Amino acid sequence: MIHEDHNRPGLTILPMAQDAALTFYGDVGLTDDPEEAGCFQAIFKAAILGSNFGHPQAAWETLKGLAPQMLSRDRSAALLKWMHDAYTYHPANLNMCWASILLRYANAPGGWPDVGQTVEEQRQFDEFAAFFLREWDRDGFNARLEAEQSKPPSDWDRQVHMRYGLVPLDDDGKDSLPFLYRIYQGAALRRAVRDFNFPARPDFPHAKMHAAAQLAADEAWMPPGVPLGRITEVA
């Protein structure tokens, strides 16, 4: 379920093209292979240059032409799929809205839509939400992110910061690696769905949880009339 018109996959290019992001390529589910990471980063940088440091969506259009030229068919397809599935504010793969839904549920369970869940159904959802939050380890990841951002930027990163108006968080609140923490949040959700022991809970995820999630998504993220997929479809 891909909706490029709802989101701009190019938003992932701006952080991933920076040298400071290279150490996080494995964390966000892109690649753990250093050589492949270098190839992907070269494509991100080429897309930025090809757009003349323009809008990220212009870089995305450039990247879609570059990837098949610079990578094998399989690796090009894998890169483009990763970008579609990456979690930003409004993911092109709308199933990734589950990342926001779970965070909203975990932060404000009292405000969760009332769809008649039983106590046991709520307990199961609490259990999965807690599993996801542990996998995400927001504080731990943010500490690593801030440590990387505190280092002197490379010449390339300095140019990107200047051209896009990005500055370190401790200057005036802007983020030099925009969206990277959200991309990591989405990768953590995919890992949680992959590793959670669903077979031991045969009635979970249950229909009432999905109904509550659909209500939450309709209020904030989903295009009108678009159904939210099952959480087990995220991975």
Side-chain angles (χ1 to χ4, degrees):
M1 185 170 53
I2 300 299
H3 291 263
E4 277 191 42
D5 55 335
H6 182 56
N7 183 36
R8 295 171 175 173
L11 292 175
T12 60
I13 297 174
L14 187 53
M16 300 305 289
Q18 295 185 47
D19 292 327
L22 191 59
T23 188
F24 299 106
Y25 274 33
D27 297 286
V28 298
L30 181 53
T31 182
D32 290 310
D33 180 81
E35 183 176 353
E36 186 171 57
C39 291
F40 286 161
Q41 188 187 50
I43 293 172
F44 290 135
K45 289 182 176 181
I48 292 285
L49 291 171
S51 71
N52 194 26
F53 293 89
H55 192 281
Q57 191 63 8
W60 166 243
E61 296 300 327
T62 302
L63 185 144
K64 285 194 293 186
L66 286 173
Q69 299 175 29
M70 299 176 67
L71 297 169
S72 68
R73 179 180 299 179
D74 288 349
R75 299 321 298 156
S76 173
L79 175 61
L80 296 179
K81 183 180 186 304
W82 179 86
M83 294 185 69
H84 271 122
D85 288 347
Y87 175 56
T88 53
Y89 286 106
H90 291 278
N93 181 345
L94 294 173
N95 285 340
M96 293 307 296
C97 286
W98 276 104
S100 288
I101 291 166
L102 286 165
L103 184 59
R104 173 176 169 175
Y105 177 79
N107 286 343
W112 192 244
D114 182 7
V115 292
Q117 295 184 98
T118 66
V119 171
E120 175 59 19
E121 287 169 338
Q122 291 176 5
R123 187 196 65 77
Q124 289 177 338
F125 201 0
D126 287 342
E127 191 176 39
F128 180 78
F131 187 86
F132 160 63
L133 292 175
R134 286 194 299 272
E135 187 65 44
W136 181 13
D137 184 21
R138 176 168 45 180
D139 291 342
F141 180 76
N142 285 345
R144 290 177 53 207
L145 192 59
E146 289 174 12
E148 194 65 35
Q149 289 175 312
S150 70
K151 299 176 183 178
S154 66
D155 290 344
W156 165 259
D157 286 3
R158 195 184 307 277
Q159 185 179 17
V160 171
H161 298 171
M162 180 182 68
R163 296 294 292 267
Y164 286 99
L166 305 174
V167 295
L169 288 170
D170 58 358
D171 284 359
D172 66 0
K174 292 184 180 177
D175 188 352
S176 62
L177 289 169
F179 310 119
L180 189 59
Y181 77 98
R182 283 183 174 269
I183 295 171
Y184 179 73
Q185 181 185 352
L189 173 60
R190 287 194 293 273
R191 292 195 302 272
V193 171
R194 181 194 66 202
D195 296 339
F196 192 70
N197 191 1
F198 288 106
R201 303 161 180 84
D203 296 327
F204 182 79
H206 47 77
K208 292 176 183 176
M209 182 193 83
H210 188 274
Q214 183 74 60
L215 287 174
D218 288 343
E219 290 176 2
W221 306 286
M222 302 295 280
V226 176
L228 179 68
R230 289 170 57 84
I231 197 167
T232 48
E233 296 171 354
V234 166

